[in-house]
Amino acid sequence: MEQIDQNTFFTITKHFDVIPYSQTESWVMAQSDNGQLKLLFLVDSTSNPKIGCVAHIKKKYGLKMLLIEAERRENKIFKSSTIRSFYEELRQWGFDAIEINSCLPYSSEYEIGIRQAGFLRPVGLFSVQLSNYIDLKNEVFFNENWRRNLKKSSTSNLSFEIINKAQKKDIEDFLSLYEEMKEQKNVSQPFSASSIETLLSSENFQLFFVKNAEEERISTIIIHKSGEHAGLLYAATGKKAHTCSAGFFMYEKVIQFLKEGNFSTFDMEKLAPSTHSTNSVFLFKNGIKGNHIVVNGEWAWYKKQWTRPMMFFVKKYLQHRIEI
């Protein structure tokens, strides 16, 4: 394993077949727009790399930690030994904790390799491990609730706006709609205006709006794209969107856009069925008929065994995260 500089990393891995959105250059730049993020750019070999990742270095609670959001891989098909050797070497780099949260589809080869490298599931899971992949090569089907709302939206004179090069006004309108939704649903905002600007300057991310009959932007979505795969990143609907089912209309048009662009799959991202209010989000996302996909999710290695239960306590009671 070797540490290399940022430019070299993105140059030698740009032709990899597997590049999750969390490992794209624009995502990394957006996440570090405050200048506070310390990063490591790692590959298993500079001569013929098969795997690499951008890792975040954090120092909290007296621990030196490394956080990784999936990996870049040369090929979709890989051996468990590739993952095992990569993370076995990483364990020797002097960190107290290494935590992984991978959005890539579950692979038994991955689990075998990561376990053989000494990693385990954390004591508690705090991220969604289920998603819904929509097959764009075939006809897409909707449940009864979706069909009813799509019929309603078709009579509301809505229009779909594709933004190919986002301007300041586009970003402002996106943020305004997200702020409106945030107040309605009491959700957090995981980005800044500058980070959204960075994302939308890249071909890996694209912005869309839905406008009503009065030409007001009432709904918006940002998707991520990589090869023939695309997925939901952020979406927001204003108050006026609910009366005309603009959110349903928006997803139908995004799917149509991706089909015409010869994409194979669309990831609805983060299905979290539950017994509380978030179940409504699950019901909405699950209303498009697709394939349920489990992701690789969370894995962790801790130098000291007592760190495992301690991190659970920190995340649940100090950071107030919800177990999923």
Side-chain angles (χ1 to χ4, degrees), residues 126-177:
F126 295 89
S127 64
V128 180
Q129 316 254 326
L130 181 66
S131 193
N132 187 19
Y133 272 37
I134 311 302
D135 180 3
L136 301 176
K137 294 298 185 182
N138 294 297
E139 184 178 357
V140 176
F141 295 96
F142 305 91
N143 68 10
E144 183 179 349
N145 179 55
W146 269 78
R147 292 195 298 270
R148 183 172 60 253
N149 278 282
L150 287 173
K151 185 177 180 180
K152 180 180 178 181
S153 70
S154 68
T155 63
S156 301
N157 199 21
L158 301 175
S159 60
F160 186 62
E161 186 179 7
I162 302 167
I163 307 298
N164 291 315
K165 190 174 181 180
Q167 305 298 319
K168 183 179 179 181
K169 178 66 164 58
D170 301 318
I171 295 171
E172 288 175 349
D173 287 350
F174 170 82
L175 293 171
S176 177
L177 284 168

Side-chain angles (χ1 to χ4, degrees), residues 43-238:
V43 290
D44 59 345
S45 166
T46 53
S47 58
N48 185 28
K50 298 189 180 301
I51 185 172
C53 70
V54 184
H56 303 184
I57 303 172
K58 289 193 175 184
K59 291 184 178 180
K60 281 190 172 183
Y61 315 109
L63 301 174
K64 185 180 180 183
M65 304 176 62
L66 201 60
L67 308 180
I68 298 172
E69 294 180 295
E71 311 84 19
R72 287 184 170 221
R73 299 190 204 131
E74 182 186 33
N75 298 308
K76 292 181 180 179
I77 299 174
F78 64 98
K79 295 181 179 179
S80 59
S81 57
T82 303
I83 295 293
R84 184 187 69 237
S85 59
F86 185 82
Y87 283 108
E88 278 180 339
E89 288 188 48
L90 191 54
R91 284 178 49 187
Q92 310 305 315
W93 281 49
F95 291 94
D96 299 303
I98 303 173
E99 295 188 338
I100 305 164
N101 191 5
S102 172
C103 60
L104 293 173
Y106 173 82
S107 162
S108 57
E109 286 293 310
Y110 185 90
E111 176 160 356
I112 291 168
I114 202 72
R115 285 187 179 276
Q116 289 179 338
F119 285 69
L120 297 172
R121 292 290 188 188
V123 174
L125 298 179
F126 295 89
S127 64
V128 180
Q129 316 254 326
L130 181 66
S131 193
N132 187 19
Y133 272 37
I134 311 302
D135 180 3
L136 301 176
K137 294 298 185 182
N138 294 297
E139 184 178 357
V140 176
F141 295 96
F142 305 91
N143 68 10
E144 183 179 349
N145 179 55
W146 269 78
R147 292 195 298 270
R148 183 172 60 253
N149 278 282
L150 287 173
K151 185 177 180 180
K152 180 180 178 181
S153 70
S154 68
T155 63
S156 301
N157 199 21
L158 301 175
S159 60
F160 186 62
E161 186 179 7
I162 302 167
I163 307 298
N164 291 315
K165 190 174 181 180
Q167 305 298 319
K168 183 179 179 181
K169 178 66 164 58
D170 301 318
I171 295 171
E172 288 175 349
D173 287 350
F174 170 82
L175 293 171
S176 177
L177 284 168
Y178 207 94
E179 183 67 29
E180 190 174 336
M181 183 189 71
K182 188 175 75 170
E183 292 178 0
Q184 292 178 62
K185 298 185 177 181
N186 193 29
V187 296
S188 61
Q189 180 173 306
F191 50 76
S192 64
S194 59
S195 64
I196 292 297
E197 183 179 4
T198 300
L199 289 179
L200 295 178
S201 66
S202 162
E203 63 181 13
N204 295 114
F205 300 87
Q206 189 157 10
L207 173 66
F208 306 88
F209 289 101
V210 171
K211 295 192 290 188
N212 62 12
E214 290 72 39
E215 291 293 303
E216 300 171 296
R217 288 171 165 173
I218 59 174
S219 187
T220 186
I221 187 172
I222 295 177
I223 66 170
H224 58 82
K225 301 178 290 181
S226 179
E228 294 184 348
H229 179 72
L232 164 65
L233 186 66
Y234 303 125
T237 51

Side-chain angles (χ1 to χ4, degrees), residues 26-34 37 56 69 190-191 195 199 234:
S26 47
W27 178 263
V28 171
M29 294 290 290
Q31 295 299 298
S32 58
D33 69 351
N34 58 10
L37 208 58
H56 303 184
E69 294 180 295
F191 50 76
S195 64
L199 289 179
Y234 303 125

